[in-house]
Amino acid sequence: MHGSHASLRQMLRIRALTKSYRSGPDRIKVLRGIDLGVGAGESVALTGESGSGKSTLLHLIAGLDQPDSGEVRFGDTVISSLPDAGRAAFRRDRLGLVFQQFNLIPSLTVSDNLAFQAKLAGRHDPDWLRELTERLGLAALTRRYPEQLSGGQQQRVAIGRALAPKPLLLLADEPTGNLDEATADEVMRLVRDLVTRSGCSFLMVTHSERLAALLDRQVHLRAGLIA
Amino acid sequence: MLRVLLSHWQRHPLQLATLLIGLIAATALWSGVQALNQQARTSYDRAAAALGGSRTAMLESRSGDSFAQSLFVELRRAGWPVSPLLEGRVQVGGRTLRLLGIEPLSMPIEAGTAPGITGGELQNFLTPPGQALLAPDTLNELKASAGAVLTTDAERALPPLTPQPELVPGVLVVDIGIAQHLLNKPDQLSKLLIGSADHGPRAELRSVVGDQLRYVAADDATDLERLTDSFHLNLTAFGLLSFLVGLFIVNSAIGLAFEQRRPMLRTLRACGASAAELNAVLITELLLLSLIGGLIGLIGGYFIAAALLPDVAATLRGLYGAQLPGQLSLRPSWWFAGLAISVIGALSASTASLLKASRLPVLTAAQPRAWQDAQQRWLLLQGGAALALALVGALLVWLGDSLTTGFAVLATILLGAALGLPAVLGVLLRLGERLTRRPVATWFWADSRLQLSGLSLALMALLLALGVNVGVGTMVQSFSRTFNVWLDGRLAAEVYVSAADEAQAAEIKALLRDRPQVQAVLPGVRAEVKLDGWPTDLLGFADHATYRDNWPLLQATTNSWDRLAAGDGVMVSEQLARRMKLKLGDRLQVPTPTGTWPLDIVAIYADYGNPRGQLGVGIDALVAHFPGIAQTRFGLRVAPEAVPALVSELRDRFHLDNRSLADQSLVKTESKRIFNRTFAVTNALNAFTLGIAGVALFTSLLTLSQSRLPQLAPLWALGLTRRKLALLELGKTMAMALITALLALPLGLLVAWCLIAVVNVKAFGWRLPFAVFPAELAQLLAVALLAALLAALLPIIKLLRTQPAQLVKVFADER
């Protein structure tokens, strides 16, 4: 599969993206010129070895970091050239983010965590939230705090939080990286199902060829380039 | 192993700085206050041990006046080892000095600690022109150098000045003959000092001098020590409070460091170190740090004490007449005690962390949440302890009846409030969380609650500092307002005159009769008696509207002034009434030279700041009961604009000094100045304590900010800008500080009530009217919020400057 996948319905378009980091006296080039497109409703797995730049690419797409050069375009908006506030608004209104470490808000209960971004974006839909809560098996846990949940349960909350505002694009960074194989498969099936149900695009970083195979398309990164 | 553990501080220099700041602040304020106390007590000791001080047994006249020198000769002949002493006051360059005339050859050894007049010096002291011995401080105040010959304001020459470091300031020691000349008291003595050495048999005192002299035994504790006890207790309480606030900082820094080092401890255990070894090394590290902090703190304490000494000296002089040298001289024990308190403080502040570190299973991963849960359990325990302390405080108010219980009530109020604060804050923050629906607002309150355990100690420190500030501030303001009104009442006459003798008094009165600007001459007589063993002044009032209209009565019967004029009524000062449990209508038996004088209590009046008891009676009745009493004092009612010319005329014509002739407006100004200085030390210590609380808040916020990124990064990722996050963080700190400050207001008023209604009454015997000063409270609230803003500013700026790359690191597990 190639990163320059062309489609008129492309929601995300990435062109000639580069990024490097300083490490002591050296500068390490993590991304060396990435071109990639993701269509509306498409699910894409981003695979590669450790250090190949998968997470960095995901962070640049989410507007969490800025590229050295190149462009990240979402619909008609060039994310990479937005100011900090604009990128924050983009994340809040268009994106759903799932991290490997869950990164839930420890001070809020499960139900507050689930509703947080949807309310923030002004798109709180109680029916959709209820459905998410039930389908993710969290109905009995809504009053608990994150540290009172298992890893699998925490990851379900993170997925629910990301999907609650009905984002246009769901980005997930090793969402099952901390889970055992059986739980990981179960969570993945659920995510796929919910993504299909919400109609959003899905870009997932994973080490696992097996999980990658569950998505529409796989993109492999090697040494900062799409292989 | 120690090196491994110390490497933590290398990686966390800010935490190390926090820990040391806590230790330094705690040690500096505690040892500074102790230095002041030590300095004062040394001075009292020196004054007591010096000539005529209470450490020496003596004979004095029953009236307290001087007596004939011939009694000395008679007593020596009768085998009494007495040494004569004449005491009086002289004015030199406008400054009043206590003049002591001594006779060094017969002086008892135990009374001779002050002047070094032995050997060759003795001859210089005794032979003309003699020597005037004085403390170096006094020499400097007189702007004179050693050997200078000054004249008194009554134009009598003093012997050459000779500095003696052992002498207390404000005292001049000369040969007794010179003193008799300077004081114009030929062949007169004030006291006869008695040595303790056995000089063989001696005649019974009464058989030699009759009733003229009485024996006063040597006293271990001086009057000055008793009088100033409450002042020093007050200073010590402030020092202790600051010390505790400093230890809060230490406790919080060490708690966090232990938690962060758990993985390191686990690794060391895995490498074969035993738990005992680890604990020993941790304690060694703590000792090392506390010694460094303690040493720097001691140097700080020295400077604090040196800075506060002038005000402390002024306060002690103004309130109690105690003289302190202006130079700090500290004993080695102060240094050792300072270091010890630093080490003990650091160890006690770390006890909880050391216990937790040794009890929690080391071979489990670091669990900040578990630590926080443990903190929550601590909070519950603290809440329980707070309730228990409140109960103890209430019991003490009900049952206690001493100054110590008064301070114990204060301690329980403050400690209970501090311990209860986190629980109260927790409830209020939870309430805020429940009342909000918007996600960011919900997070705001919920996250504040999560941060509470990390900030609670700093907030407790802030509560304590503010509570004490409000309490002491309210007390001082109440006092100030009352004092001004009281002073106007007490000093109603425009001019006060104290003639040297009755002849001069008659001359002055004759002159005043020809001065139409003098509207009234109010004679005043003062006698001394002992009531219940307590020295008490008896004031004679003329029956005049000046007293009826102005005297600051607290309680009175309807005809109190008439009863006074009739000679069967007495007005009692508040402290005497409290001490002797007297009330209106009670009958008081006053001992007088003509027998016991029964008097009905017709009024109780305010007599703030007077350590002695006081009674007011009609002047005619007083003179009748004390025949021959000197009637040399009077107050003058004069039109204010005529006062300066009249004072000037009286001074020039009768050679009256400042002690004998007082312009009321100047006395009031001076009294108010002394009053304000009295509280200068308290205000300084208040400011220090608030400053340390600010530092505690700052260090806690800075420490917390180190671990805030993982909690803030998800919010940023979900679409909150760094600016908004920074504002939210600032808002949380300000909200918690505001709630704490608002809680500190009722706490402070409770402290003020305790100071006014319990501590002051026990310490001084008088009670002030309680008043609330809203403007002062608003001002303090603003200061607290400003301190919180300043404390929060640096962590907020750090957060604002946090680059996205740093926030992204929270999510990244590969690069």
Side-chain angles (χ1 to χ4, degrees):
Chain A
M1 219 40 93
H2 197 269
S4 61
H5 176 82
S7 161
L8 281 177
R9 294 179 59 246
Q10 267 187 0
M11 181 155 290
L12 177 71
R13 277 172 295 162
I14 295 166
R15 289 219 178 94
L17 205 65
T18 67
K19 180 72 183 173
S20 57
Y21 290 105
R22 184 172 290 283
S23 173
D26 306 321
R27 199 153 185 94
I28 299 165
K29 285 194 168 179
V30 184
L31 299 178
R32 295 160 181 269
I34 300 286
D35 293 301
L36 175 67
V38 177
E42 187 185 19
S43 60
V44 177
L46 201 55
T47 59
E49 304 298 319
S50 289
S52 61
K54 304 185 298 289
S55 291
T56 303
L57 178 57
L58 200 80
H59 295 152
L60 292 176
I61 294 169
L64 293 172
D65 207 349
Q66 282 195 289
D68 296 342
S69 64
E71 181 183 282
V72 178
R73 183 181 285 270
F74 189 85
D76 293 332
T77 312
V78 180
I79 308 302
S80 47
S81 60
L82 285 175
D84 188 44
R87 296 203 305 274
F90 163 69
R91 288 193 297 273
R92 184 183 64 219
D93 299 336
R94 312 278 181 86
L95 282 191
L97 279 166
V98 182
F99 300 103
Q100 185 181 354
Q101 304 296 336
F102 326 131
N103 294 108
L104 298 175
I105 301 169
S107 52
L108 297 183
T109 60
V110 166
S111 80
D112 284 339
N113 261 290
L114 283 169
F116 189 82
Q117 193 181 352
K119 285 184 175 174
L120 203 62
R123 287 206 301 276
H124 178 49
D125 177 350
D127 293 334
W128 172 232
L129 193 67
R130 199 173 306 118
E131 183 184 338
L132 277 175
T133 309
E134 278 165 17
R135 300 238 9 226
L136 287 164
L138 298 169
L141 308 172
T142 51
R143 296 177 71 86
R144 292 198 189 174
Y145 286 91
E147 81 270 13
Q148 295 168 319
L149 304 178
S150 68
Q153 288 168 333
Q154 286 195 53
Q155 195 56 296
R156 285 163 201 248
V157 178
I159 291 163
R161 180 181 68 185
L163 287 170
K166 293 185 182 164
L168 296 174
L169 174 63
L170 177 68
L171 296 175
D173 190 357
E174 300 275 10
T176 57
N178 277 334
L179 307 179
D180 62 70
E181 200 168 291
T183 314
D185 285 351
E186 184 202 331
V187 167
M188 267 316 295
R189 270 194 297 276
L190 199 57
V191 172
R192 275 232 50 179
D193 209 20
L194 287 169
V195 162
T196 309
R197 172 96 172 73
S198 71
C200 70
S201 307
F202 180 33
L203 182 63
M204 178 179 77
V205 166
T206 181
H207 275 105
S208 164
E209 294 291 336
R210 185 173 51 79
L211 293 178
L214 294 174
L215 303 195
D216 298 341
R217 184 158 62 99
Q218 291 179 46
V219 175
H220 192 75
L221 243 64
R222 183 174 297 142
L225 287 168
I226 290 179
Chain B
M1 211 185 310
L2 185 62
R3 218 177 54 169
V4 174
L5 285 171
L6 285 176
S7 69
H8 170 83
W9 304 112
Q10 252 176 346
R11 284 187 292 120
H12 298 91
L14 203 64
Q15 224 174 73
L16 177 64
T18 303
L19 177 62
L20 287 175
I21 285 172
L23 277 169
I24 291 167
T27 315
L29 277 160
W30 171 256
S31 54
V33 164
Q34 288 313 311
L36 290 171
N37 280 343
Q38 194 185 85
Q39 180 81 4
R41 294 216 165 95
T42 309
S43 297
Y44 306 153
D45 262 0
R46 207 184 287 168
L51 310 163
S54 61
R55 294 277 155 77
T56 316
M58 62 184 84
L59 301 174
E60 60 178 30
S61 76
R62 292 194 178 273
S63 64
D65 291 340
S66 54
F67 51 89
Q69 190 171 308
S70 55
L71 294 179
F72 161 65
V73 181
E74 286 167 28
L75 281 163
R76 290 291 295 194
R77 282 189 189 139
W80 281 76
V82 287
S83 177
L85 184 107
L86 180 63
E87 195 175 2
R89 290 187 181 272
V90 288
Q91 288 239 324
V92 182
R95 194 180 186 282
T96 305
L97 299 173
R98 184 172 163 228
L99 183 79
L100 290 177
I102 60 167
E103 199 286 292
L105 294 172
S106 60
M107 199 162 58
I109 295 162
E110 59 268 35
T113 56
I117 38 180
T118 50
E121 290 294 316
L122 180 63
Q123 197 177 355
N124 293 335
F125 187 80
L126 288 174
T127 52
Q131 288 178 329
L133 308 176
L134 75 178
D137 274 4
T138 314
L139 187 69
N140 292 337
E141 277 177 35
L142 294 172
K143 298 186 177 65
S145 51
V149 175
L150 301 181
T151 52
T152 66
D153 292 0
E155 292 177 0
R156 293 182 186 225
L158 290 171
L161 300 179
T162 310
Q164 287 285 336
E166 299 88 353
L167 277 173
V168 284
V171 173
L172 272 179
V173 179
V174 294
D175 177 65
I176 193 148
I178 297 173
Q180 287 170 334
H181 167 71
L182 288 170
L183 296 171
N184 196 22
K185 286 188 173 177
D187 300 325
Q188 291 287 301
L189 300 177
S190 307
K191 289 169 182 169
L192 291 171
L193 307 179
I194 307 169
S196 57
D198 191 5
H199 289 257
R202 59 193 183 196
E204 206 239 325
L205 181 65
R206 189 178 283 268
S207 70
V208 185
V209 296
D211 272 344
Q212 295 180 79
L213 299 181
R214 67 187 184 104
Y215 178 82
V216 181
D219 199 350
D220 283 340
T222 65
D223 284 347
L224 217 46
E225 276 169 322
R226 284 192 209 102
L227 284 174
T228 54
D229 257 357
S230 55
F231 178 80
H232 291 295
L233 197 57
N234 185 14
L235 270 188
T236 305
F238 259 112
L240 196 61
L241 178 68
S242 307
F243 182 66
L244 283 177
V245 172
L247 286 193
F248 282 175
I249 305 176
V250 177
N251 180 293
S252 127
I254 284 180
L256 189 79
F258 274 3
E259 188 50 39
Q260 285 180 343
R261 287 195 293 188
R262 280 175 62 85
M264 189 194 283
L265 297 178
R266 185 185 57 195
T267 308
L268 287 170
R269 285 292 302 277
C271 292
S274 73
E277 276 173 325
L278 271 182
N279 271 337
V281 174
L282 282 170
I283 291 171
T284 309
E285 175 199 62
L286 210 56
L287 285 175
L288 215 64
L289 290 171
S290 58
L291 283 175
I292 295 169
L295 205 61
I296 302 172
L298 274 175
I299 295 166
Y302 180 86
F303 284 112
I304 287 173
L308 291 180
L309 187 62
D311 282 331
V312 170
T315 302
L316 289 168
R317 193 165 51 238
L319 271 183
Y320 312 105
Q323 298 286 345
L324 251 66
Q327 284 278 313
L328 264 184
S329 55
L330 297 167
R331 296 177 194 154
S333 62
W334 177 80
W335 295 91
F336 290 120
L339 282 179
I341 201 86
S342 172
V343 170
I344 292 167
L347 284 175
S348 55
S350 322
T351 309
S353 294
L354 281 168
L355 283 176
K356 276 183 204 165
S358 62
R359 278 183 191 164
L360 285 174
V362 180
L363 292 177
T364 56
Q367 293 173 312
R369 188 71 219 178
W371 181 66
Q372 234 156 24
D373 283 347
Q375 291 290 101
Q376 291 291 340
R377 285 193 290 278
W378 271 102
L379 288 189
L380 277 177
L381 276 176
Q382 274 179 222
L387 278 177
L389 279 169
L391 277 175
V392 171
L395 272 176
L396 284 173
V397 169
W398 190 33
L399 299 173
D401 193 33
S402 69
L403 184 60
T404 313
T405 48
F407 273 96
V409 170
L410 263 185
T412 53
I413 289 174
L414 287 169
L415 202 60
L419 288 174
L421 177 71
V424 175
L425 274 175
V427 169
L428 291 174
L429 294 175
R430 189 183 283 274
L431 197 68
E433 190 184 339
R434 290 223 172 127
L435 291 176
T436 49
R437 286 282 170 269
R438 294 163 62 133
V440 177
T442 308
W443 172 78
F444 179 92
W445 294 112
D447 202 65
S448 299
R449 205 153 55 81
L450 193 72
Q451 271 187 284
L452 192 56
S453 55
L455 277 181
S456 61
L457 277 171
L459 291 172
M460 282 156 79
L462 186 65
L463 180 85
L464 284 179
L466 283 173
V468 170
N469 265 271
V470 170
V472 174
T474 303
M475 195 259 292
V476 172
Q477 288 289 325
S478 299
F479 197 4
S480 177
R481 182 193 275 183
T482 312
F483 182 74
N484 287 337
V485 174
W486 173 81
L487 208 57
D488 289 342
R490 286 296 294 254
L491 299 176
E494 283 73 22
V495 178
Y496 289 87
V497 181
S498 176
D501 47 42
E502 300 225 7
Q504 190 184 46
E507 275 180 58
I508 294 172
K509 280 180 191 167
L511 175 94
L512 292 173
R513 271 195 288 277
D514 296 336
R515 295 291 178 273
Q517 67 268 39
V518 178
Q519 295 151 5
V521 177
L522 307 172
V525 175
R526 185 185 290 258
E528 278 186 35
V529 293
K530 280 210 168 180
L531 288 180
D532 219 11
W534 202 30
T536 302
D537 292 323
L538 208 53
L539 304 185
F541 292 131
D543 187 12
H544 195 271
T546 301
Y547 297 115
R548 288 178 181 256
D549 297 343
N550 295 298
W551 200 254
L553 299 183
L554 299 172
Q555 299 170 40
T557 56
T558 46
N559 57 349
S560 53
W561 287 103
D562 295 336
R563 296 282 307 274
L564 214 67
D568 63 348
V570 63
M571 294 182 175
V572 183
S573 73
E574 186 189 2
Q575 40 271 61
L576 186 67
R578 284 186 189 278
R579 187 187 169 97
M580 294 180 67
K581 296 187 171 56
L582 301 172
K583 56 183 189 302
L584 291 186
D586 285 356
R587 176 154 284 206
L588 196 61
Q589 304 290 342
V590 180
T592 73
T594 54
T596 304
W597 184 9
L599 286 162
D600 290 336
I601 295 173
V602 294
I604 292 171
Y605 63 91
D607 188 26
Y608 304 120
N610 187 357
R612 297 163 67 91
Q614 201 177 70
L615 296 173
V617 291
I619 189 165
D620 296 338
L622 175 63
V623 173
H625 282 90
F626 288 82
I629 193 163
Q631 297 184 53
T632 54
R633 295 159 185 263
F634 37 95
L636 308 179
R637 297 310 311 262
V638 187
E641 61 275 10
V643 169
L646 182 69
V647 166
S648 178
E649 185 187 0
L650 288 174
R651 178 173 294 134
D652 293 345
R653 185 171 288 206
F654 298 103
H655 303 294
L656 297 174
D657 63 14
N658 288 342
R659 288 174 59 83
S660 310
L661 182 64
D663 173 348
Q664 170 241 62
S665 63
L666 295 180
V667 173
K668 275 187 191 169
T669 309
E670 179 63 8
S671 301
K672 286 174 189 169
R673 193 186 65 78
I674 290 172
F675 177 87
N676 289 332
R677 267 200 108 167
T678 299
F679 291 103
V681 181
T682 312
N683 289 340
L685 286 173
N686 255 342
F688 273 132
T689 314
L690 197 56
I692 292 188
V695 171
L697 193 60
F698 168 72
T699 53
S700 296
L701 286 170
L702 211 55
T703 309
L704 275 181
S705 72
Q706 317 277 304
S707 54
R708 285 296 288 157
L709 274 194
Q711 284 155 38
L712 295 176
L715 287 143
W716 171 72
L718 294 176
L720 290 179
T721 59
R722 282 173 290 164
R723 189 183 147 80
K724 184 157 188 182
L725 280 174
L727 282 174
L728 282 167
E729 288 289 277
L730 181 64
K732 281 195 290 176
T733 305
M734 297 305 285
M736 283 199 272
L738 179 65
I739 297 173
T740 305
L742 287 174
L743 289 171
L745 297 184
L747 170 69
L749 293 178
L750 191 62
V751 168
W753 174 84
C754 190
L755 285 169
I756 286 171
V758 183
V759 173
N760 267 1
V761 175
K762 303 296 176 212
F764 304 114
W766 36 259
R767 182 174 177 166
L768 296 165
F770 181 81
V772 178
F773 301 85
E776 308 289 329
L777 298 183
Q779 195 183 345
L780 202 62
L781 204 62
V783 169
L785 290 182
L786 185 67
L789 180 69
L790 290 175
L793 223 48
L794 188 61
I796 297 300
I797 290 170
K798 271 181 72 181
L799 178 61
L800 265 176
R801 289 189 176 165
T802 306
Q803 292 306 305
Q806 287 168 273
L807 287 158
V808 165
K809 274 183 191 166
V810 173
F811 312 115
D813 60 311
E814 63 174 44
R815 242 320 150 260

